[in-house]
Amino acid sequence: MPPPFRVAPSGTEAAPDGIEDLRDLYDEEEGEE
Amino acid sequence: MRTKTALVELLKDSRDLRVFFKGCCEASAARLRVQSWQFRDELADRSYVVNLREVQDSVFELARDLFPESPGADFVTWAGLLCGDALARLQERYASLSPEEKDAMDLSGAWCHNDAVEEACRNEDLPAFRAALKDYEREALEAVERVREESGAA
């Protein structure tokens, strides 16, 4: 029987808050180039 | 706050660091790893003090989040760099053994960690890989010391 939840790999942090903002900044800056 | 989150905040606040981080990712895993001290120092300037290994693991994860196709996000290369360091340390100790000691060396204790190394590789989990490799190296170094003690050289 599979576990009732998904086990995240140990030591790996989920994408933190703010990473989408950072991604947007990179996208904007790439558009400026 | 976790290191990766602190790095995100750092990069959001500095265009220069964003450019630098992206450049490192696009150059190579080795470049990103070697330059991790700069991110550690920038974090320390913000009173977030953390060891270099944790910064390295976090810049790798961030590279995978932001630039997954870049050389800096390549797990195999990162793992190879860590293995190279560990093997160099082991080689240095192994080279000090006599031919008889080398023949008598028993690495089965280190091999017990092969499964953990393989699992970390399957998951491409760098912190877990680093931990498994450290266990492997510790056991191998203990095997070197054991064989030296048994031969009376220690």
Side-chain angles (χ1 to χ4, degrees):
Chain A
M1 180 182 291
F5 49 84
R6 183 174 175 274
V7 179
S10 62
T12 301
E13 187 183 355
D17 291 340
I19 198 161
E20 287 307 322
D21 295 337
L22 179 55
R23 205 188 309 272
D24 289 344
L25 284 171
Y26 271 117
D27 288 344
E28 285 171 20
E29 287 160 5
E30 193 172 336
E32 292 170 9
E33 289 171 4
Chain B
M1 187 190 294
R2 294 283 299 271
T3 303
K4 189 171 160 188
T5 303
L7 278 168
V8 167
E9 294 305 314
L10 181 70
L11 294 180
K12 278 166 60 179
D13 288 349
S14 167
R15 182 173 182 144
D16 286 347
L17 284 176
R18 283 198 299 277
V19 170
F20 181 63
F21 177 75
K22 185 177 181 182
C24 290
C25 291
E26 290 174 343
S28 68
R31 166 87 174 157
L32 184 56
R33 184 175 183 236
V34 164
Q35 294 300 328
S36 291
W37 68 270
Q38 302 219 35
F39 297 105
R40 181 199 57 190
D41 286 2
E42 291 286 346
L43 290 174
D45 286 346
R46 293 175 161 223
S47 302
Y48 188 91
V49 178
V50 65
N51 70 51
L52 185 59
R53 288 175 184 168
E54 194 166 330
V55 175
Q56 289 172 346
D57 290 350
S58 294
V59 296
F60 166 72
E61 288 184 18
L62 209 48
R64 289 175 73 92
D65 289 337
L66 294 168
F67 310 111
E69 303 303 321
S70 71
D74 182 43
F75 176 83
V76 172
T77 306
W78 274 88
L81 293 169
L82 293 179
C83 280
D85 289 350
L87 287 174
R89 289 189 292 268
L90 286 173
Q91 176 62 28
E92 189 180 336
R93 302 285 281 276
Y94 184 75
S96 69
L97 298 177
S98 68
E100 295 76 18
E101 288 169 338
K102 288 175 181 173
D103 284 344
M105 199 164 127
D106 177 11
L107 276 173
S108 57
W111 293 340
C112 290
H113 299 286
N114 284 352
D115 288 347
V117 171
E118 286 179 14
E119 185 178 356
C121 288
R122 273 195 300 276
N123 293 330
E124 299 200 345
D125 183 340
L126 196 64
F129 179 80
R130 192 190 291 276
L133 190 63
K134 188 176 177 184
D135 288 341
Y136 188 103
E137 182 181 353
R138 190 193 63 245
E139 293 277 2
L141 290 173
E142 284 176 7
V144 170
E145 291 310 311
R146 253 194 322 272
V147 80
R148 282 170 60 83
E149 285 172 13
E150 287 166 4
S151 73

